[in-house]
Amino acid sequence: AGDLCRMFQIAPVFNETSALVTRLALCEVRLALDIRWPWLILIPMREGMVELEDLGPADRHLVMDEILRAGPAARAVGEVLDFPVEKLNVAAIGNRQRQLHIHVAGRREGDPNWPDPIWGFGTAAPPAPGQRERMIAAAMDAFEATPPGTRR
């Protein structure tokens, strides 16, 4: 696994549209730089992965655990944004960027594109100065409070 992580390279678009939050056992967790929604992106640190089915059995279990841990983290980002999360949207779409990644986005009735999907809607609203750091800190705190194998 260590060799696979060393070979892992994040697609350049993620560096342009998101910021690193943390690295878990399998996934690099990134904050989407769009304050319209509390939105995290989990990118399994395995080279050449496109579909969830490309992951081995142990990594499939691990990615599900990390997705579940991302829920409280997205809700924590929502608190920073004064955006109470009512529903989590989880998706591995990959039509524009093939590198395997999983979106965990907080939604609520009345948000900018409710009830339709957020992907490809409108123009991103970047965080204000200092806001990105507060969002990342809230997400990191939530991950630390939800260790692997635990549920909210």
Side-chain angles (χ1 to χ4, degrees), residues 27-91:
C27 293
E28 180 170 302
V29 179
R30 300 188 66 86
L31 172 71
L33 298 178
D34 186 348
I35 61 168
R36 297 176 298 165
W37 301 280
W39 182 355
L40 299 173
I41 302 165
L42 283 68
I43 306 170
M45 294 181 287
R46 302 289 188 264
E47 195 62 36
M49 301 291 108
V50 174
E51 304 290 350
L52 286 167
E53 65 191 19
D54 295 339
L55 295 170
D59 282 348
R60 288 182 202 150
H61 289 284
L62 194 52
V63 78
M64 182 56 71
D65 184 66
E66 292 180 1
I67 289 168
L68 292 173
R69 291 178 65 205
R75 291 177 194 283
V77 171
E79 290 176 19
V80 171
L81 295 173
D82 195 26
F83 183 119
V85 173
E86 297 171 359
K87 177 73 178 92
L88 290 171
N89 287 184
V90 177

